[in-house]
Amino acid sequence: MNKSRKRIMKVVVLATTLLGVALLVAGCHSSDTASLTPTPTKTPRPADARMPALPTSNSTPTASATPTSVASPTATEVSPTSTPTPEPTLPPLGDAWPTLEPNLCPLTGMEVSDPALLERRPLAIKIQNAAISRPQYGLPQADIVYEHLSEAGITRFTGIYLCQDVDKIGSTRSARFIDLEIPAMYKSLLAFSGTSAGLYPKFLNADFYDREFCYGWNLHSEAFYRDTELREQGIPIEHTLFADPDKIWEIADELDINQPQELRDMHFSQDTPEGGMPATHIHIPFPSSDMVVDYRYNPELGAYLRWDAGEPHVDAATGEQIAATNVVVVYATHVDTDIYEDEPRRNHPSVQIQLWGTGPAVIFRDGQAFEGLWARPQRGDMLVFRDLTGQIPIPLKPGNIWIELVPLEGHRWAFEATWDDTE
């Protein structure tokens, strides 16, 4: 076991200890306390999750609570959770929530070009990451980007937009399990092309259904369009759909769902925290060779430049390499479900990422790594990042954020993210 893995496992142990303390503080003496640790076990949903019961349908299959049999997994598979159960109150933060100036973006801590941008609801958009879809449009303008395992070892993005203007985002693809969580966290709209048959009833009955924009369901499909030039170049049609964010917000205005939201959870500071380790190169070996990620710190930019599969990851609109002011590696329980993303072949089970409770995280900024914990106590909470005591926030640097969701040990796609001081 190398040093990086030992460090991560220490964080897992500390997170487990923290939750044990939280249980005592909250007076919650459940006999199933193991389910609240950041280990590959069944994790309860936050207490205020209000997912309605799924409808029965003769044409649209729904997921059962049974584990999935997959090719050559070495760890015990567990089933996705669906029943809300009480969640303990985590220890309070050592500092009160910060009060941002009215012209600062709550998702980046940066000054906005026009304060009117903050008078709208955040927008989450599903973005493809297959090699054929690169370069994508709109990634540099996202305040936060989540990269996650989708199925078959490939990754996909969900971008969160609020504080910058952007004309074109995509290519836009279908939603995944993680997109049942992100709109709740950011009180956002959600734009996507569709879902698999198994996920369809979950999104149909989501507590944010009134904020969904889905091309494949003809749900405000006028907010999307096909890029005919890409079709003429021979690009498969599924990679040619793009979202028009201005149109989405316009429709949201008409539907009276475009109000600004309270988004106070993030902590930002220009000052580099103490206790960091040199980390100018981050390596994230996602299982697909086309999606192995590297970040290299550029001191002149004060940000990490991104590579995919050994190639610079560039923006389609400008040709410039994508840069992240903050990179956060979040270790969370991943579960292979009995919902398949490739019906009727049934080769690739959809992955549920249980992004609730708490677990280990590594925050990268200013060429340094800070090991700590992530926490999301309630369904409506954004992720917060704390030190190893769970008390003190680890501030992010004002700027955009790329969050890399990585499986904990036990999932068949589990791997180790590493970092060093080699540029």
Side-chain angles (χ1 to χ4, degrees), residues 47-69:
D48 61 346
R50 291 182 294 274
M51 296 289 286
L54 301 182
T56 57
S57 171
N58 293 328
S59 60
T60 304
T62 61
S64 68
T66 56
T68 301
S69 176

Side-chain angles (χ1 to χ4, degrees), residues 149-170:
L149 282 172
S150 176
E151 72 282 333
I154 65 174
T155 67
R156 210 164 262 191
F157 303 129
T158 303
I160 314 297
Y161 296 84
L162 176 64
C163 302
Q164 296 187 63
D165 281 321
V166 57
D167 297 327
K168 179 179 182 179
I169 300 174

Side-chain angles (χ1 to χ4, degrees), residues 89-403:
T89 302
L90 295 175
L93 289 169
D95 297 332
W97 297 117
T99 300
L100 289 175
E101 296 296 327
N103 62 336
L104 294 184
C105 174
L107 302 182
T108 67
M110 297 284 289
E111 185 175 352
V112 295
S113 60
D114 181 358
L117 296 174
L118 304 179
E119 296 301 315
R120 57 190 182 181
R121 186 184 288 271
L123 167 59
I125 297 185
K126 202 70 198 171
I127 302 171
Q128 175 65 293
N129 190 34
I132 196 172
S133 70
R134 299 182 199 135
Q136 299 96 332
Y137 286 84
L139 286 173
Q141 289 78 29
D143 300 318
I144 302 174
V145 178
Y146 280 83
E147 181 169 22
H148 67 91
L149 282 172
S150 176
E151 72 282 333
I154 65 174
T155 67
R156 210 164 262 191
F157 303 129
T158 303
I160 314 297
Y161 296 84
L162 176 64
C163 302
Q164 296 187 63
D165 281 321
V166 57
D167 297 327
K168 179 179 182 179
I169 300 174
S171 61
T172 304
R173 291 302 304 273
S174 55
R176 293 294 186 265
F177 254 109
I178 189 61
D179 301 300
L180 292 166
E181 306 299 324
I182 289 175
M185 294 161 61
Y186 297 96
K187 292 83 173 171
S188 71
L189 311 168
L190 176 66
F192 56 108
S193 67
T195 68
S196 61
L199 283 178
Y200 171 75
K202 294 183 179 296
F203 283 87
L204 184 66
N205 289 279
D207 50 6
F208 54 86
Y209 174 76
D210 63 325
R211 308 198 303 266
E212 293 179 13
F213 291 70
C214 181
Y215 178 82
W217 303 347
N218 198 27
L219 194 60
H220 315 303
S221 58
E222 64 272 26
F224 305 83
Y225 62 93
R226 294 284 181 188
D227 189 319
T228 56
E229 290 186 5
L230 290 178
R231 288 293 291 140
E232 292 171 357
Q233 296 169 16
I235 300 297
I237 192 170
E238 63 267 26
H239 300 288
T240 63
L241 184 68
F242 291 84
D244 181 341
D246 289 336
K247 185 65 174 178
I248 293 174
W249 275 308
E250 177 185 323
I251 295 171
D253 277 330
E254 296 170 358
L255 297 173
D256 196 26
I257 56 171
N258 197 25
Q259 300 79 11
Q261 303 299 303
E262 185 174 316
L263 302 167
R264 63 174 184 165
D265 294 1
M266 308 295 288
H267 286 76
F268 297 95
S269 175
Q270 285 287 359
D271 298 329
T272 305
E274 296 181 357
M277 298 170 286
T280 55
H281 173 221
I282 311 164
H283 181 66
I284 305 176
F286 282 112
S288 171
S289 59
D290 282 339
M291 293 163 185
V292 173
V293 175
D294 288 277
Y295 293 94
R296 292 182 172 86
Y297 185 68
N298 184 313
E300 294 181 0
L301 293 176
Y304 289 88
L305 294 174
R306 179 183 163 93
W307 273 257
D308 262 315
E311 298 292 331
H313 191 174
V314 301
D315 173 44
T318 65
E320 296 180 359
Q321 190 168 1
I322 293 172
T325 304
N326 305 274
V327 178
V328 184
V329 176
V330 166
Y331 289 86
T333 299
H334 285 50
V335 175
D336 284 341
T337 72
D338 53 5
I339 291 174
Y340 292 86
E341 296 295 340
D342 58 343
E343 296 281 7
R345 289 181 296 163
R346 299 174 67 85
N347 292 326
H348 301 136
S350 187
V351 179
Q352 183 193 55
I353 303 172
Q354 297 183 347
L355 202 60
W356 50 83
T358 188
V362 187
I363 295 87
F364 298 90
R365 54 164 293 177
D366 300 316
Q368 297 187 47
F370 301 86
E371 292 177 313
L373 303 172
W374 62 266
R376 182 187 169 214
Q378 302 293 333
R379 176 164 171 78
D381 293 339
M382 295 188 288
L383 290 189
V384 296
F385 307 109
R386 307 175 179 179
D387 69 0
L388 293 174
T389 70
Q391 295 291 313
I392 307 301
I394 299 177
L396 301 168
K397 185 176 181 178
N400 66 332
I401 307 161
W402 279 66
I403 297 177

